[in-house]
Amino acid sequence: MLDPAGEATRAAAARLGVDGVRRLRIGKAIELEVEAADAATARSQIELLSDRLLANPVIEDWTLEMIEASGEQSA
Amino acid sequence: MLDPAGEATRAAAARLGVDGVRRLRIGKAIELEVEAADAATARSQIELLSDRLLANPVIEDWTLEMIEASGEQSA
């Protein structure tokens, strides 16, 4: 996908003397902590949010990385 | 750090019926491909760019994750 901000930043890096940058892409990173009955439920909730709220699917791709917390509300 | 966009998005998630979201933070993710003599050189170049160009250290934290490409320009 086009990334004009990334391209401009790559040019600015060269002006700072760092000319080894071959590629530079700027995107969003969103960290969520979700409480759900199980991992599958959490995943489907996050997928819903990603499509409807967090990303604009017309111009943005997204990927999801899950990190499971252990136990259920222990302490 | 304060993240008003993250807070607003968390409230919007609840209005979409997803009410298990305990925390939501929005940040930037920047992917760079850097050509350098070795990993230490690449790291110091990226650290320079992060401090001077990519992040605003007054209001932003950053972390760096390195993924090393194998070989040197083989094919």
Side-chain angles (χ1 to χ4, degrees):
Chain A
M1 300 197 172
L2 289 175
D3 179 12
E7 269 313 298
T9 306
R10 204 169 74 92
R15 287 197 296 277
L16 272 179
V18 178
D19 50 14
V21 181
R22 294 288 164 264
R23 212 172 57 92
L24 192 157
R25 293 188 67 81
I26 302 181
K28 274 189 285 188
I30 302 177
E31 269 183 39
L32 295 107
E33 210 173 287
V34 174
E35 209 172 286
D38 49 51
T41 308
R43 175 179 289 272
S44 72
Q45 287 186 340
I46 295 169
E47 286 173 346
L48 173 84
L49 292 180
S50 300
D51 279 329
R52 307 251 323 255
L53 184 65
L54 305 177
N56 176 348
V58 177
I59 55 166
E60 292 172 329
D61 266 339
W62 58 268
T63 57
L64 168 57
E65 188 183 336
M66 300 269 293
I67 301 168
E68 235 172 297
S70 56
E72 8 182 316
Q73 293 184 318
S74 52
Chain B
M1 298 196 176
L2 289 175
D3 178 12
E7 268 313 299
T9 305
R10 204 169 73 93
R15 287 195 297 276
L16 273 179
V18 178
D19 51 13
V21 181
R22 294 288 161 266
R23 210 173 58 92
L24 192 158
R25 294 188 67 81
I26 300 181
K28 273 190 287 187
I30 302 176
E31 268 182 41
L32 296 108
E33 210 173 287
V34 174
E35 209 171 286
D38 49 50
T41 308
R43 176 179 290 273
S44 72
Q45 288 186 337
I46 296 170
E47 286 173 347
L48 173 84
L49 293 180
S50 299
D51 279 330
R52 306 251 322 256
L53 183 64
L54 305 177
N56 176 348
V58 177
I59 55 166
E60 292 171 330
D61 266 339
W62 58 269
T63 57
L64 168 57
E65 187 184 335
M66 300 269 292
I67 301 168
E68 237 172 295
S70 57
E72 7 182 313
Q73 291 182 315
S74 51

